[in-house]
Amino acid sequence: MQTCYSGTAVRAAERTLLDAGQGEALMRRAAWGLATVVLRELRARGPVSGTTVAALVGTGNNGGDALWALAFLRRRGVDAVAVPSGERMHQAGLAALLKAGGRVAHAVPDSAVLLIDGVLGTGARGGWEPPRVPEGAAVVVACDLPSGVDADTGHVAGGVIPADVTVTFGALKTGLVVGAGAHAAGRVEVVDIGLGPHLGAPDVSSVECEDALAVFGPPAWDDHKYSRGVLGVCAGSDHYPGAAVLVCSSALATGLGMVQYAGPERAADLVLAAHPEVVAGPGTEGKAQAWVVGPGLGSDKDALSRLNEVVAACVDAGLPLVLDASALALVELEDLARLRSAGCDVALTPHQGELLKLVDRLAPEIADGFADLAKADPVAAARRTAETLGAAVLLKGSTTVCAAPDGQTFVQNEGGAELATAGTGDCLAGLVGSALARTSGDGQRSTVEKAAAAAWLHGTAGKRAAEGGPFGSSRMPVAVQTVLAER
Ligand SMILES: NC(=O)C1=CN([C@@H]2O[C@H](COP(=O)(O)OP(=O)(O)OC[C@H]3O[C@@H](n4cnc5c(N)ncnc54)[C@H](OP(=O)(O)O)[C@@H]3O)[C@@H](O)[C@H]2O)[C@@H](O)CC1
Ligand SMILES: Nc1ncnc2c1ncn2[C@@H]1O[C@H](COP(=O)(O)OP(=O)(O)O)[C@@H](O)[C@H]1O
């Protein structure tokens, strides 16, 4: 499990050490870590001595880190060039650079093979417009975070110089794992500067391979089909029959004990043609241990009555429930309240558009300014919705955010934009359903953690599928099987 801290929390942890007079030591530790990564990048490309490394240097301590790093690099024979972005530079850092034989220039030299972005770190406020830098040739290494990325949220209000590598200090920051911030950061390396004991509880976590496999592991030797998880799927309609197939196929690809399908004849026939092992019928009777409802259901009376039947089945038996797609537009507060009272784990899986509609309809008390919040701070938006509706929220997008009503939050970035194709959300619903069905008795992991495990598998499978060229969502189940087979 990877853990992240908000930029604000990292600053607070630093403050304790700054107050104890350790500011300079911290900065030199950070700068040494940055210089070490830069040297590694240079060595991977050829000789180090004589190559030009430039740093865009801001007015604050982020610039100070960059100046000290340049000073260390100069001692390795690098032509170290500081390019100030403002009127002033960190004094001790500048003195160290000049003493080591580095120089100051007013533009990034064309000869620079590597550019350090040391303009803004955790002290940035609002947006920033980067200066023109020579295009293409230089590797970009961001100091602490790419300038212009909000360290708490990942929001980029102005411009940003996308980094190949970000060397971040003290702890992985939330802004480096969410949305535009995650995209701009490139590969992230964390340099320990001794903040550990002062950091407190993490802000968000990310499920990694091992955590996901603990949910989607192989069967135990004595498992039988009813102990490996039985998932009920209420998806698809005469109008959208394919959704039923995608949900069932993805769930089956994880190796469940059984998938039970509830839906109309046309969709059921397609499901059975693809997977004769599915037990299909019009209603919810059966042995399901969790349900997925919503993909391709539509919005008519029939869709509503099918949703109601599934909610009733879950309430009766205390089963976990995934509400996706059409179900998000049909579910009512009373349904959520009944599910909560019955002790059912509930996961709502909207994309951003569905989230806004859901909040408008069911949580008007938080709707004011919510669209802006969802854009700038998806973690806060998912958390607020989860808390208000009393259910786990899996918010889909370039970063998938899984938030629990108590604030526990996971962010997952395994997938890429190849997943932006119709039906991949249906596949994800099948995976979340499988995660809940197969762990319905284990009580060890929270619903959001299980949802995050499904998001890990979905994103990783998306990447795997993309290796074979452009793809549609029907390729996802095979990719899921491949990912699980390879681990
Ligand atoms: N604390 C420590 O001991 C350690 C800290 N460390 C490092 O310090 C970094 C934090 O340093 P920081 O607090 O000086 O803030 P920083 O990110 O350099 O930016 C502030 C400067 O930028 C300016 N500015 C702000 N917004 C702007 C904008 N939109 N557009 C343009 N300018 C803008 C603002 O100028 P002002 O407007 O106030 O005149 C101010 O001068 C942290 O990320 C890490 O790298 C490490 O060395 C470990 C030890
Ligand atoms: N740019 C992107 N980068 C990574 N993942 C993405 C991107 N765009 C969409 N996705 C993922 O693709 C899936 C799309 O789901 P959804 O919008 O519900 O599609 P559908 O309703 O067509 O099935 C989600 O899991 C989402 O996180």
Side-chain angles (χ1 to χ4, degrees):
M1 193 78 70
Q2 185 180 63
T3 51
C4 308
Y5 296 80
S6 69
T8 305
V10 174
R11 279 176 82 80
E14 279 171 359
R15 173 64 33 217
T16 318
L17 295 172
L18 289 185
D19 292 346
Q22 293 185 37
E24 209 172 297
L26 279 186
M27 183 174 282
R28 293 187 47 163
R29 246 177 260 160
W32 181 256
L34 174 59
T36 305
V37 174
V38 168
L39 279 173
R40 204 186 309 139
E41 291 295 318
L42 292 176
R43 282 196 198 108
R45 286 165 178 80
V48 168
S49 186
T51 54
T52 302
V53 171
L56 294 172
V57 178
T59 52
N61 289 327
N62 193 249
D65 294 338
L67 288 165
W68 274 106
L70 283 179
F72 293 137
L73 291 165
R74 177 67 205 132
R75 299 217 181 94
R76 294 285 191 281
V78 168
D79 170 27
V81 186
V83 182
S85 71
E87 300 283 291
R88 55 183 201 279
M89 285 191 275
H90 189 273
Q91 275 189 2
L94 180 60
L97 173 64
L98 295 177
K99 190 168 167 217
R103 60 191 174 107
V104 176
H106 290 291
V108 175
D110 286 339
S111 56
V113 297
L114 188 144
L115 178 67
I116 297 173
D117 166 8
V119 179
L120 293 172
T122 56
R125 297 176 312 277
W128 175 68
E129 277 318 315
R132 242 175 238 281
V133 291
E135 263 176 38
V139 177
V140 176
V141 178
C143 170
D144 205 18
L145 52 146
S147 299
V149 169
D150 183 314
D152 286 346
T153 64
H155 185 55
V156 175
V160 71
I161 302 175
D164 298 288
V165 187
T166 293
V167 183
T168 200
F169 311 127
L172 184 57
K173 285 146 195 113
T174 304
L176 297 174
V177 296
V178 179
H183 183 65
R187 193 180 86 238
V188 180
E189 300 215 12
V190 181
V191 172
D192 183 2
I193 57 169
L195 301 184
H198 310 284
L199 278 169
D203 180 25
V204 301
S205 306
S206 299
V207 160
E208 296 181 294
C209 180
E210 204 179 302
D211 314 303
L213 293 189
V215 172
F216 290 102
W221 72 273
D222 57 348
D223 260 328
H224 53 82
K225 66 185 177 218
Y226 296 125
S227 65
R228 281 184 75 190
V230 178
L231 177 65
V233 173
C234 178
S237 55
D238 286 344
H239 202 61
Y240 307 108
V245 181
L246 291 169
V247 180
C248 292
S249 306
S250 311
L252 284 167
T254 65
L256 272 183
M258 187 187 289
V259 170
Q260 178 193 334
Y261 176 72
E265 206 172 311
R266 179 163 177 234
D269 286 348
L270 285 178
V271 168
L272 288 171
H275 302 289
E277 64 269 43
V278 170
V279 176
T284 55
E285 340 40 73
K287 289 189 155 54
Q289 290 151 354
W291 277 91
V292 172
V293 63
L297 221 59
S299 54
D300 58 11
K301 265 215 242 118
D302 187 46
L304 183 59
S305 84
R306 288 172 70 194
L307 168 68
N308 289 340
E309 187 180 342
V310 171
V311 169
C314 289
V315 167
D316 279 353
L319 302 180
L321 174 61
V322 181
L323 290 152
D324 184 50
S326 310
L328 297 168
L330 295 171
V331 69
E332 295 294 347
L333 280 179
E334 302 77 68
D335 298 323
L336 296 177
R338 279 166 58 222
L339 288 158
R340 231 183 355 260
S341 312
C344 307
D345 291 331
V346 175
L348 308 164
T349 58
H351 54 58
Q352 215 185 75
E354 289 165 338
L355 180 74
L356 300 187
K357 286 188 189 142
L358 186 71
V359 163
D360 267 347
R361 208 167 58 79
L362 298 187
E365 66 274 33
I366 61 165
D368 199 23
F370 190 82
D372 291 337
L373 179 76
K375 214 165 141 202
D377 191 350
V379 167
R383 274 185 180 146
R384 204 167 290 177
T385 310
E387 186 190 1
T388 310
L389 297 181
V393 170
L394 181 155
L395 172 57
K396 297 181 271 196
S398 62
T399 296
T400 299
V401 179
C402 307
D406 67 1
Q408 187 189 21
T409 305
F410 294 85
V411 295
Q412 303 299 142
N413 284 305
E414 287 71 26
E418 307 82 18
L419 281 170
T421 181
T424 51
D426 304 344
C427 296
L428 177 61
L431 299 182
V432 179
S434 167
L436 298 185
R438 63 201 301 136
T439 58
S440 60
D442 84 354
Q444 282 175 28
R445 293 173 201 85
S446 59
T447 306
V448 264
E449 185 177 343
K450 295 172 193 176
W456 179 93
L457 181 55
H458 185 253
T460 306
K463 272 278 166 262
R464 196 70 176 75
E467 286 169 13
F471 69 94
S473 55
S474 58
R475 184 120 59 89
M476 284 293 286
V478 170
V480 166
Q481 281 174 320
T482 309
V483 168
L484 292 176
E486 282 172 350
R487 307 286 158 166

